Structures are given as structure tokens and as C-alpha cells.
Amino acid sequence: MKRNSFVYIFKTTQLLIMGTIAMTVFLRTEMKSGQFQDSTKYWGALFFSLINVMFNGKAELAMTVFRLPVFFKQRDFLFYPAWAFSMPIWVLRIPVSLMESGIWTVLTYYTIGFAPAASRFFKQFLAFFGVHQMALSLFRFIAAVGRTPVVANTLGTFTWQIVFVLGGFVVARGDIKSWMMWGYYASPMMYGQNAIAINEFLDERWNNPVPNSTDSVGVTLLKERGLFSEEHWYWICIGVLFAFSLLFNVLFIAVMTFFNMPGDTKSLLLEDNPDDNGRRRLASNNDGIDMAVRNAQGGSSSAIGAANEGSRRGMVLPFQPLSFAFNHVNYYVDMPAEKKNQGVEENRLQLLCDVSGAFRPGILTALVGVSGDGKTTLMDVLAGRKTGGYIEGSISISGYPKNQATFARVSGYCEQNDIHSPYLTVYESLLYSAWLRLASDINDSTRKMFVEEVMDLVELNPLRHALVGLPGVDGLSTEQRKRLTIAVELVANPSIIFMDEPTSGLDARAAAIVMRAVRNTVDTGRTVVCTIHQPSIDIFEAFDELLLMKRGGRVIYAGGRQSHKVVEYFESVPGVTKIKEGYNPATWMLEVSSPAVEAHLDIDFAKVYANSALYGRNQDLIKELSTPAPGSKDLYFPTQYSESFITQCKACFWKQHYSYWRNSEYNAIRFFMTIFIGVIFGVIFWSKGDQIYKQQDLFNLLGAIYSAVFFLGASNATTMQLLWQLRGQYSTEKEQQECTQSCVAIETIYVVIQSLVYALFLYSMIGFPWKVDKFLYFYYFICMSFIYFSMYGMVVVALTPGHQIVAIVSSFFFSFWNLFSGFLIPRPLIPIWWRWYYWASPVAWTIYGLFASQVGDITSELQIIGSSPRPVNEFIKDSLGFEHDFLIPIVFAHVGWVLLFFFVFAYGIKFLNFQRR
């Protein structure tokens, strides 16, 4: 908790903001009491407080899912049993519940104007504490059952829906069908609703008599809602809330004991393609693979035998070999606040100091050094990937000053973290990269032929139909992902490729396979640069040149990689110990150049290198490569991107189509939830659409529409957590705008189908009249609301840095939309200073459109509590603010909401990158 304090601070701040908003919406000076007509605001205030306290516990779901992989691993290694992990979480959340419940009660109780007795203040606090504890344990249990973000979020939303609808406020107990009454008593929220309602409406100020009845106003209000009306039921409800909390925690421990983390499967798409038979016969097999990595001179080390002997590989697509030279490069960042607090006066921290070097075509160069010496920093600076800091020095490409816009078109960068679309096959991943990054004048057959050549080059043919999958969950192994990362860059036909620790996290066999792919890439004549951390002798000998760095970002050796040359150079330095026979030269090199050795010998290896003849020869080479060759031309491309806008959209839509179609978990959950929730809501609100006789009937129907829109829409938004897995691609691809449009387009297609299924279930089961215009209005508003909810899910993911913040921000805005939806407090009763936000809540527009289109033209009489009957259309206009004549503007407003969320999402994907370098 201490190291995750930002989440709890954020949640507390969110609670403070929502509490402040609630007390200004339900302000004491606007809250009269004692009569039937005064109760509407109190019901809204109580219910909003209840759902806000309970919904604030939903962030526990995301945090628990995040911790589960580590827990399952430690449990299986017998670190501790499940109860030892679960009990501290339960105990540590008690102070959190006390604080958050206390903040809400202190902020809102007297400012809203609830029952003034001090005892009732503490009783409401106790009720909210019980609700919060129950919610935390419930969502922890759901997270343990779901175990993955998509499944857990969907289960959480589904459970929340059932608990919410059957909680006693959305639909009164007397209006629930007898076969669903078990759900009413099984809903934990019902007991919280009863506790806070009993605490308020059994106060003395609600004891005014009711004509022709022995009950008071408060008791009548409770009975009208089907709630308990005796004081002792408050304590029963509190006891049940804590019993639920205990039950969910016990179930959480049981699930953590017996369940395992899903995954560990390898997905393979088998297709009968006769054209692949010959290719498979020529391809190498993963079992018993020859551990060969050929060096540039055609020789081999003892452990890495000669393979693929012969001349440099030719390929179907030509490329321009390019050299890369950089001289006196310095890199600074702003001084961290921690160092300034320690008394450091400089404004900048230098990470690279006077670094010079050169990379040539057909030469494999290794950037070597201990952790923190600036290898990756140097590579990021040279590749133009740094998002901040200050760069000095000269960088040239084949003699011409480097221009990042053109350099990005001829270079590739293989990240240490392999980012790929999990639901594409290996072949489709390469085809997609080639489609968007090769020149537009290359036809389809040539492009596919080039992809096949690249697959042969990095030996991916046996895996061509394998799904990439998610790292550590399913799909390709780490070594296979490394080779795919290299291939994805190779199919862009680059001249220069940077690779950040391509052997990191691999065993010796896997590292040799990856290095063979790297060696094969170099043998095509490309310029390849790799960072490497303490390589084995076999991998060390696979490189042609070496650039060795020390802490502080300074170069201490740059030259040929042959071990005898490196050993001779360092042994020539006075005081350096000789290498032992059979010792790894790479390890020895790092040991003798360590800061401890420098301090012992009172020597600076960077100065030794700067004063050496080797440095002079390297400077001559840099000067030579920094001068353009006679007759050469600088790089030039007429367009920013390789392909046209239409082609980019087509390629991205193709990728999104497969990503959605093959994500069976996402699609199955989406349509299962749609059908199941449609049926459940249809059963709960069975035939209420044509049974509007009294005021409570109208409120039940409003509750049905509110629930139908808000909860499945929220489910769509939360299951868009899928986008979280894919956002890294948008931050690295050059086609963010087109990928954004394709993602929105494919999601919209699925939502249109989902909405049609949902609307047919709900419309028929609720019992609305079968008229063409009414059904089309119903379907349109449902469809558009689901689209903007999905867009909102995308927006939150695009604008936030982490999945935990996504969950918290989502719940914050859901609470906001919920409050001003027109259900908890009708628009005419919203204070004038907040009424503007009613129009700024998209859910309010949808509920307005659905309710006005279905009942806004009904003129039959409606029985009203404490008043004479009135026509339905007049009552909803005066009491709820809904007019049938306002439907056309509402139709266009929904288009506006969809476009707004689309443009915000596109902006976030295109301009916000939380991957700081």
C-alpha cells in the first residue's frame, strides 16, 4: 500500500471531489422535509451516496488482478498459503474503509441536511463502512475468479448490475416478480439501502400523519419502495453487511487456494495450404536446430559452427547500404529533484559524455558495458527515440547530417520489450508491417515474396501460422518473439537496424538462435548495432566490432571485436592484470575496466582511450564517413508515410478485424453478457412498458431504461481494457491516426450487432408497443449510447498512464454521469448552478431520448401519491423534464457525443506517449 500510495491518494481525492459535488447538488437550503413531495431529493441523495461509496471499492478489482500473477507464482513455490496473502489485505483495508466512509459522511451528512440527531450521523457512517468493506471483499473475490482483466471486469460489471437493480431503489420490492425475489434478498446492496433509508425516514421529522392511514409519512415512503419500516431492521442489515464481507473474504481465500492462473497454451492456426509444403521441407525444425552463427569473415567459433556458408545473401528488394557516424555526442537531462535536494547545484545531469563512433554496412557492432553505463541511452539518442533531454554533437548518415523524418524511413529499431498484436499470426504480423512500411510502388506479389524471404532469413517458417499471443501467457516463446521483432523490422527493408539487448532473458541455446538471425541480417549488407550485457564467449565472437562504455556514458574502447585485440589493448595499460587461460574475454574486459579497478590503479580508461592511437584511427574513420561520397545524394522521400491514407486505413482495418475476430474471450463475454443481461433485465422489468397506472410504475420504467443503458454501456467501456494490451503498438507505429479510425470502425460494427440483439430482447420483454418509429428510436439511442461508451473506454485508456488509473478515472466519470443522468435527481430539481452539467452528461441525453420516445406521447391518467391524477405526458414534462417534441435535437446530440469521444481518442493516441525515454 505504501508504494502504491498514489492510487489511494487519487481515490481519496476523487471521493473528496464527488462529496463536494454531492453536497452542492443536494444542498441543505434546497432540501425541505416532512412531506411526500420532499422525499425525491432525499432518495436521490441517499442512493447516490450508497453507490458512490460502494463503487469506490471497484478499484480493488483492478489492483487485485494486477497482483495475481506474482501471487500464483509465489504460492506454487510454497512461499506462503493463500490465507497468509489474503488476511493482511483484508486487515489493511479496514483503515481505508474507515477513512473513505468517514470522509464521505463528514462532507455530506449535515451539508445535505439528513436527520440532525448525532446518533443517526454515526449510524449512517457505520452503514457506509459496512457497505465499503462488503464492496472491497466482493470485488476482490470477483478478481480472483476472473483472474484476467477482461473476464474480471466483465464479471464485476455483471455482478454490480444485478446487485444494483435488485437493491431496492431501481425497482420496488413489490414490483419484482416472485421468481426473482431470491435475488432481492441475496443483493448486499439491498441491506445497505435499507439501513440508510431506515436511518433517515424513521427520524421524527418524517413522523407527519398521512390522511386515511395510521402510518407516518416516513413509514409510507419506506413501504412504497418495499423497504423495511421497523427500526430494528437497521441493525439486522448492518449485521448482514458484515456477514457478506466475511463470506466474500472466505471465498476469496478458497479461490486463491484452489484456482490457477489461466494461460500457458500455444495457439496454432492450422491451414491446408499446398503452397507451404515445399517451404516447410526447406525450413529448419525447432527440435535439434543447428546452433550456428556465421561471422562476417566466414569463420566460426568453436561452439558456433559454420552454417549457411557462402556469399552475402541477396534479396528480392534492393536497399541502399548506409554508414552511420557520430562525433562528440553529449546528452543531458534535467537534474532530478532528488539530487537537487542532496545539494547538487547543476541544472542538468549528463548521461553521455563525448561519445564518438561509426557503424558500417555489413558490420555487426556491439555496444557493451555494465548496467547503467549508457548503452541503451546512446542507442536511443542515435535512433532519434528520446522524448526529452538535450543532445549535442554531430550525427551523419553516409556523410549527410541526420534528418529524423527521413532516417525513420530507412532504419528499424528492435525494442527489448517485444510489442506485437497478440491475435495475429507470425505471417500476418510480417505482412502487416510490410504493407505499411514498404514503398507504395511495390506490388502485392513482390511484397509477399519479400516477406517469405525474411521468414526464411530469421527461420520463422515453422511458426508462420502460430498466433503471437500475450507475453508470459500464451503464444510464442521469448526467443521466438525476439526473432519476430527482428523480422518485423526487416520487412520494412531498412538500411540500418538497432537492436536493444536481443539476447536478454534467453538461455544459451535460445540466444544462439537469435544471434544466428542477427548474423543472417548483417550478411545481407545492412548496418546492425546491438546493445549486449556481459555476453558469453560464443556470442561475443559473433560480433565484428565493439564499442565499450563505462559508467558516466564515456567510451573506453572502440575497435575490432576479436578477443586477442581487446585483450592486447587492455593488457597494454600499466597495472592491468593479465587474463587467465580459458577465461571469458568479455567478462575479463568488464572486470578490469570497472570503477573499482580504476580507483585502485588511479587511472581513467576513458582518458587512456582518448589518448591512444586507436582513438586517432577511429577519428579518421569518422571523418571519412562524415564526408559524402562523390555523386551521392542525401536521403529524400516525397511523402511522410510509405503508403497512402486509404491503404493505411485498409491495412489497419484488416489487422483490427483479425484481432477482434480471434479474441474469443472478448467476443464471447461481450455477446454472452448482452444476451444474459437483456434476459435478466427483461425478466425483472417484464411487461412494465404497457402498465403505467401509478407514479411508482413510471419510476420503475425509468429505472429499467436507466439500468439498460448505464450498465451494459459501462460493461462495454470496461471491457475496452483490451485496448490497454494494444496501446503500446499505437505508441510505436507511424500510422496512429489510421489505426485509431480502424479500431473505432471495427468496434462500431460489433456494437451495431450487439445493440440490435440487446434492443430486441429488451423491447419485447419490457412490453413497449410494437410501432416502427418507437422501436427505431429505441434501437438508435441504445446503439449510439453503446458506441460512445466504447469510445469513452478508449479515451480513458489513451489519456492515462496505467491500468489502475484507468479503473479509478472510469469510476469517477461514471459516478458523475450517474448523478446527472436524470434518474437519481430529475432535471427540474437540480440546482440551477449544476443544471448545465445535466446537458454535459451523455447518459442524460440517452435516457431523455429513450423515455420521451416511449412514453412522452401517452395521455392516459397517472395516479400520483398525495395529489390528483394527471396525464402521463404532462407529469413527465413537469416532474422529470422530458418532452416528446425534443427528440430530433437529441438524435443529433448523440452524433455529437460520438464524434467528440472519437476526436479525443485520436488526439490521445497520436500525441500522448507514456513511454518516457
Side-chain angles (χ1 to χ4, degrees):
M1 288 178 64
K2 183 177 180 181
R3 292 175 180 171
N4 208 20
S5 58
F6 175 75
V7 173
Y8 294 98
I9 294 172
F10 197 99
K11 283 179 61 182
T12 304
T13 304
Q14 171 184 314
L15 203 67
L16 287 168
I17 295 172
M18 294 308 301
T20 304
I21 292 169
M23 72 185 190
T24 56
V25 172
F26 303 101
L27 196 60
R28 183 185 184 96
T29 57
E30 301 284 322
M31 302 281 280
K32 299 177 182 179
S33 62
Q35 303 299 326
F36 288 115
Q37 60 271 22
D38 302 328
S39 65
T40 302
K41 283 189 175 182
Y42 284 95
W43 282 118
L46 287 170
F47 193 62
F48 179 70
S49 299
L50 176 66
I51 61 177
N52 206 63
V53 170
M54 184 171 177
F55 199 64
N56 202 48
K58 193 173 185 293
E60 187 76 4
L61 187 147
M63 291 189 286
T64 302
V65 169
F66 180 72
R67 288 192 294 262
L68 288 182
V70 174
F71 162 76
F72 283 120
K73 183 176 182 179
Q74 293 178 344
R75 182 202 65 181
D76 294 341
F77 282 114
L78 302 180
F79 278 41
Y80 44 70
W83 66 265
F85 172 81
S86 308
M87 290 298 292
I89 296 176
W90 183 7
V91 173
L92 289 172
R93 294 301 184 272
I94 293 176
V96 175
S97 292
L98 287 171
M99 181 185 67
E100 295 188 359
S101 304
I103 288 174
W104 185 269
T105 309
V106 168
L107 271 179
T108 63
Y109 192 85
Y110 286 111
T111 52
I112 288 177
F114 290 122
S119 61
R120 296 197 178 274
F121 168 85
F122 288 107
K123 286 169 74 175
Q124 189 183 92
F125 165 70
L126 180 61
F128 284 153
F129 172 69
V131 167
H132 196 265
Q133 273 289 291
M134 178 275 299
L136 289 175
S137 54
L138 171 63
F139 288 117
R140 258 198 314 272
F141 167 60
I142 292 171
V145 173
R147 290 164 289 167
T148 63
V150 174
V151 176
N153 274 318
T154 305
L155 287 176
T157 303
F158 169 71
T159 305
W160 171 249
Q161 290 167 358
I162 301 302
V163 166
F164 185 93
V165 172
L166 296 175
F169 182 80
V170 175
V171 56
R173 179 176 57 175
D175 294 311
I176 298 176
K177 302 297 181 181
S178 58
W179 62 80
M180 287 297 298
M181 194 57 67
W182 63 270
Y184 177 81
Y185 288 102
S187 170
M189 193 171 184
M190 181 273 286
Y191 297 95
Q193 176 69 40
N194 271 279
I196 60 176
I198 289 171
N199 185 56
E200 171 61 29
F201 290 110
L202 292 187
D203 186 61
E204 292 181 359
R205 61 182 184 163
W206 295 95
N207 277 346
N208 297 332
V210 177
N212 304 319
S213 176
T214 59
D215 294 330
S216 65
V217 170
V219 172
T220 304
L221 288 169
L222 291 172
K223 288 184 176 180
E224 184 71 21
R225 292 276 182 177
L227 303 180
F228 305 121
S229 55
E230 292 85 21
E231 191 76 48
H232 67 272
W233 272 101
Y234 168 85
W235 297 106
I236 295 175
C237 292
I238 294 297
V240 173
L241 285 173
F242 285 108
F244 269 119
S245 178
L246 177 62
L247 173 64
F248 292 139
N249 277 293
V250 170
L251 291 175
F252 175 65
I253 294 173
V255 168
M256 298 289 275
T257 302
F258 298 107
F259 281 33
N260 295 309
M261 200 68 189
D264 297 330
T265 60
K266 303 298 179 185
S267 303
L268 188 67
L269 293 182
L270 297 178
E271 299 178 7
D272 293 330
N273 189 346
D275 295 336
D276 294 340
N277 294 335
R279 204 179 291 119
R280 291 194 184 99
R281 285 193 295 270
L282 292 174
S284 60
N285 193 305
N286 277 354
D287 296 327
I289 194 164
D290 185 8
M291 305 285 289
V293 179
R294 181 168 55 83
N295 63 24
Q297 286 73 30
S300 64
S301 69
S302 58
I304 303 178
N308 305 320
E309 300 284 353
S311 61
R312 293 187 187 273
R313 291 173 178 260
M315 303 195 79
V316 68
L317 292 180
F319 67 93
Q320 179 183 357
L322 298 174
S323 62
F324 192 105
F326 52 98
N327 203 18
H328 304 300
V329 171
N330 298 284
Y331 177 67
Y332 306 85
V333 294
D334 293 327
M335 185 65 67
E338 295 82 2
K339 289 188 174 292
K340 285 191 174 182
N341 294 335
Q342 295 172 2
V344 178
E345 297 181 356
E346 288 82 1
N347 293 324
R348 294 181 180 180
L349 176 65
Q350 187 169 10
L351 300 182
L352 296 178
C353 180
D354 197 32
V355 180
S356 301
F359 309 137
R360 290 170 289 169
I363 301 296
L364 178 56
T365 305
L367 303 183
V368 184
V370 297
S371 297
D373 61 5
K375 301 186 299 293
T376 301
T377 300
L378 174 61
M379 183 176 287
D380 285 343
V381 167
L382 298 180
R385 289 169 54 85
K386 283 296 181 185
T387 59
Y390 312 91
I391 301 173
E392 297 175 351
S394 63
I395 303 175
S396 61
I397 310 298
S398 291
Y400 294 94
K402 176 192 168 193
N403 180 348
Q404 185 61 33
T406 55
F407 179 71
R409 294 282 293 274
V410 296
S411 64
Y413 193 104
C414 300
E415 296 189 27
Q416 186 173 349
N417 298 321
D418 306 299
I419 301 175
H420 302 288
S421 297
Y423 299 103
L424 294 184
T425 65
V426 169
Y427 176 72
E428 289 166 350
S429 299
L430 300 181
L431 192 61
Y432 173 72
S433 180
W435 196 352
L436 289 175
R437 299 174 69 181
L438 289 177
S440 58
D441 57 352
I442 298 175
N443 57 45
D444 288 345
S445 60
T446 305
R447 181 167 58 237
K448 291 180 180 178
M449 190 183 305
F450 184 65
V451 169
E452 296 291 349
E453 285 187 341
V454 170
M455 292 184 70
D456 286 334
L457 189 71
V458 295
E459 302 173 60
L460 283 174
N461 258 317
L463 300 168
R464 65 185 297 110
H465 296 306
L467 290 181
V468 175
L470 294 170
V473 179
D474 55 14
L476 303 181
S477 66
T478 304
E479 169 262 320
Q480 291 164 347
R481 289 178 188 277
K482 294 287 184 185
R483 285 191 282 146
L484 177 59
T485 299
I486 295 170
V488 164
E489 296 303 316
L490 270 179
V491 294
N493 201 25
S495 301
I496 302 173
I497 302 179
F498 298 94
M499 299 182 186
D500 187 11
E501 299 199 21
T503 61
S504 177
L506 303 180
D507 58 27
R509 177 180 182 275
I513 296 172
V514 171
M515 284 307 301
R516 183 167 63 196
V518 174
R519 185 73 253 174
N520 291 340
T521 302
V522 176
D523 289 344
T524 63
R526 289 174 168 81
T527 303
V528 181
V529 184
C530 299
T531 60
I532 202 80
H533 180 73
Q534 199 160 357
S536 66
I537 180 60
D538 295 332
I539 292 177
F540 184 61
E541 292 290 345
F543 289 93
D544 303 316
E545 292 190 348
L546 171 70
L547 192 148
L548 179 62
M549 301 183 69
K550 61 175 280 187
R551 289 187 182 274
R554 304 176 70 187
V555 179
I556 59 177
Y557 178 83
R561 63 92 184 96
Q562 287 90 348
S563 23
H564 69 277
K565 292 185 178 180
V566 179
V567 171
E568 289 172 2
Y569 174 82
F570 280 102
E571 285 185 341
S572 66
V573 178
V576 173
T577 58
K578 306 298 182 181
I579 188 172
K580 298 178 181 178
E581 186 176 354
Y583 203 71
N584 182 1
T587 304
W588 175 82
M589 173 186 67
L590 294 175
E591 288 176 352
V592 299
S593 61
S594 65
V597 173
E598 283 190 321
H600 177 71
L601 299 178
D602 191 22
I603 194 173
D604 185 346
F605 282 106
K607 290 183 179 179
V608 171
Y609 168 70
N611 296 323
S612 67
L614 177 62
Y615 178 80
R617 292 195 298 272
N618 287 333
Q619 283 295 314
D620 293 338
L621 176 63
I622 293 171
K623 183 177 180 181
E624 177 187 346
L625 296 179
S626 298
T627 304
S632 65
K633 294 182 180 180
D634 195 2
L635 295 173
Y636 171 75
F637 297 98
T639 59
Q640 181 181 5
Y641 301 125
S642 299
E643 291 288 354
S644 65
F645 176 80
I646 299 298
T647 304
Q648 290 173 354
C649 289
K650 186 189 301 183
C652 291
F653 188 86
W654 173 83
K655 185 190 82 165
Q656 291 295 339
H657 162 66
Y658 280 114
S659 295
Y660 268 68
W661 183 252
R662 289 178 183 151
N663 191 353
S664 56
E665 179 185 64
Y666 179 69
N667 288 318
I669 288 176
R670 176 203 289 261
F671 285 99
F672 171 78
M673 287 286 291
T674 299
I675 296 172
F676 194 76
I677 291 175
V679 171
I680 292 293
F681 282 4
V683 170
I684 294 174
F685 301 105
W686 182 269
S687 296
K688 296 193 182 300
D690 59 354
Q691 298 177 4
I692 306 175
Y693 307 116
K694 56 183 181 180
Q695 185 176 343
Q696 188 60 46
D697 294 335
L698 198 66
F699 288 149
N700 288 339
L701 187 60
L702 180 60
I705 290 175
Y706 161 79
S707 305
V709 170
F710 194 82
F711 289 109
L712 194 57
S715 177
N716 275 12
T718 52
T719 51
M720 282 309 295
Q721 302 294 329
L722 162 73
L723 196 65
W724 174 258
Q725 301 167 355
L726 306 178
R727 186 177 67 174
Q729 299 162 33
Y730 300 128
S731 299
T732 58
E733 291 169 355
K734 301 180 179 68
E735 297 78 19
Q736 297 98 333
Q737 182 179 1
E738 292 73 26
C739 289
T740 299
Q741 293 167 349
S742 64
C743 185
V744 170
I746 196 70
E747 174 68 16
T748 301
I749 293 173
Y750 278 77
V751 167
V752 167
I753 300 171
Q754 175 194 22
S755 304
L756 181 60
V757 173
Y758 190 60
L760 287 171
F761 273 106
L762 276 184
Y763 198 86
S764 58
M765 296 179 75
I766 292 179
F768 290 121
W770 282 100
K771 296 182 179 179
V772 175
D773 59 335
K774 285 182 176 291
F775 177 77
L776 289 179
Y777 272 128
F778 188 85
Y779 172 67
Y780 173 80
F781 291 129
I782 289 288
C783 181
M784 294 299 283
S785 68
F786 288 176
I787 291 175
Y788 70 63
F789 265 111
S790 296
M791 296 274 189
Y792 168 72
M794 298 179 187
V795 165
V796 175
V797 169
L799 299 183
T800 52
H803 66 282
Q804 295 178 348
I805 305 302
V806 167
I808 295 172
V809 171
S810 295
S811 65
F812 176 77
F813 279 97
F814 285 156
S815 297
F816 228 79
W817 292 358
N818 188 32
L819 176 59
F820 294 101
S821 65
F823 174 67
L824 298 180
I825 177 171
R827 178 168 55 89
L829 297 181
I830 299 176
I832 191 67
W833 55 83
W834 272 115
R835 203 166 295 173
W836 63 271
Y837 194 80
Y838 174 88
W839 302 112
S841 170
V843 179
W845 288 87
T846 302
I847 292 176
Y848 193 137
L850 286 169
F851 205 72
S853 64
Q854 301 306 311
V855 301
D857 56 349
I858 298 177
T859 57
S860 59
E861 295 291 317
L862 184 72
Q863 299 296 324
I864 302 171
I865 302 175
S867 181
S868 58
R870 297 181 60 189
V872 172
N873 59 341
E874 292 183 9
F875 177 79
I876 67 172
K877 179 179 179 180
D878 296 338
S879 300
L880 304 177
F882 298 149
E883 295 186 56
H884 190 271
D885 296 337
F886 195 60
L887 283 175
I888 299 303
I890 295 175
V891 169
F892 287 104
H894 279 75
V895 177
W897 281 113
V898 170
L899 292 177
L900 173 65
F901 285 128
F902 169 75
F903 286 120
V904 174
F905 171 60
Y907 173 85
I909 290 296
K910 187 171 181 66
F911 295 105
L912 298 182
N913 184 359
F914 296 101
Q915 297 175 332
R916 297 299 177 195
R917 302 184 181 95

